[in-house]
Amino acid sequence: MRATRERNSGSAPAKTAVTNTNRAALRAGGMAVVIAGLGGITWFTLELLPPVLGFDDTDNPAVSLDYLRQYPQFYPLAGVVLFIMAIAFVVASFAVSDALAPRTSSITRRSLSALGLMSAAFLFMHGVLRESLGPLLYIDGMNSGWGESAYLTLQMLGTHGFAQASLLTLCVWAVGISVAGARSHALPIWLCVLGVVTGLRLVMLITGPLLTAASIDLPAFLWLGSMALIPLGMLWWLALGVVLLVKSRRNLRQ
């Protein structure tokens, strides 16, 4: 009896320490995902600024360079936002993995963490390109043709490269978290359904090349729907962060 009491008294502090660790991980992950969501909305807003400020034909590199010369503060600001998002997703990827334990297999949680880290790397590289405004304007000052070529290179590599890669991996990440969260009952079902809906952008990205290969014009609603799912996914990040913070509060009460 005495040995049993000693084992019980010894296990109680260990359980308390584990609970405190899980609560801290949930709180850190919730704050990280909320920061990433707010950063994503800020980034998306900055991308919409040129038409709002009167630079409608942003497909023209000369117009875009004129925008950067008149408003040089927004391009590097987007880079800072992307850096913050990248760091936030590093923390969030591990915290969400902890939130799905122990009812989710380790390989699933590790795979989801890897996807989160990949998206963070893509966001970081896109931010690096956004911080290259100074060299870009310097090249444009020497020769306008060189400047337009440099801008198009940054546009293809950044906006259509790293940015799209980050959004693609985050879509897979959201769908994976939603499926795992629904199966393990670790996340609310409404959040899991919303996460799967945001993953529809994957279907649209796959459908586009297939229609192009079949010489079928891409319907306008597919492009509009794909663009609309980007801010919806960012709102899902905010919702996931709130859910993790609520779970950490529940652990504290228990």
Side-chain angles (χ1 to χ4, degrees):
M1 292 294 293
R2 181 178 180 181
T4 302
R5 285 196 301 269
E6 288 178 352
R7 284 197 301 268
N8 291 337
S9 62
S11 62
K15 291 181 180 179
T16 302
V18 171
T19 301
N20 290 337
T21 301
N22 292 338
R23 180 169 59 86
L26 289 173
R27 184 172 64 249
M31 293 176 62
V33 181
V34 168
I35 291 172
L38 294 175
I41 294 173
T42 304
W43 172 37
F44 191 77
T45 303
L46 291 173
E47 294 292 327
L48 299 177
L49 279 182
V52 174
L53 296 174
F55 299 88
D56 297 326
D57 189 13
T58 52
D59 291 334
N60 187 336
V63 175
S64 296
L65 284 169
D66 188 27
Y67 161 72
L68 294 178
R69 282 190 293 267
Q70 295 188 38
Y71 300 95
Q73 66 272 28
F74 298 126
Y75 210 69
L77 177 60
V80 174
V81 172
L82 290 165
F83 288 150
I84 295 174
M85 290 176 62
I87 296 172
F89 273 117
V90 170
V91 178
S93 62
F94 293 112
V96 172
S97 177
D98 290 342
L100 294 175
R103 298 181 180 179
T104 305
S105 65
S106 61
I107 186 63
T108 299
R109 292 186 285 112
R110 290 174 184 176
S111 299
L112 291 174
S113 296
L115 285 171
L117 294 177
M118 288 173 59
S119 64
F122 291 138
L123 289 170
F124 183 84
M125 291 306 301
H126 187 35
V128 170
L129 294 178
R130 284 304 173 96
E131 292 296 326
S132 62
L133 178 62
L136 175 61
L137 294 181
Y138 175 76
I139 294 173
D140 181 64
M142 292 190 298
N143 186 295
S144 60
W146 296 352
E148 293 179 8
S149 298
Y151 173 80
L152 291 175
T153 301
L154 292 176
Q155 188 76 356
M156 294 302 298
L157 188 59
T159 302
H160 299 286
F162 290 122
Q164 294 303 318
S166 66
L167 294 175
L168 179 63
T169 51
L170 285 172
C171 283
V172 180
W173 187 65
V175 173
I177 290 173
S178 300
V179 173
R183 293 183 60 184
S184 63
H185 304 287
L187 298 174
I189 190 64
W190 63 267
L191 181 68
C192 299
V193 172
L194 183 59
V196 173
V197 171
T198 61
L200 290 177
R201 192 165 189 271
L202 293 172
V203 179
M204 297 181 180
L205 290 176
I206 296 173
T207 303
L210 293 178
L211 293 177
T212 302
S215 300
I216 300 175
D217 293 334
L218 184 67
F221 73 88
L222 284 180
W223 183 84
L224 293 174
S226 177
M227 295 300 296
L229 286 173
I230 295 177
L232 180 61
M234 295 170 180
L235 292 176
W236 184 84
W237 303 343
L238 288 174
L240 175 63
V242 172
V243 168
L244 293 180
L245 290 174
V246 171
K247 286 174 68 69
S248 69
R249 295 281 296 179
R250 288 177 181 173
N251 288 353
L252 176 62
R253 291 173 183 174
Q254 292 176 356

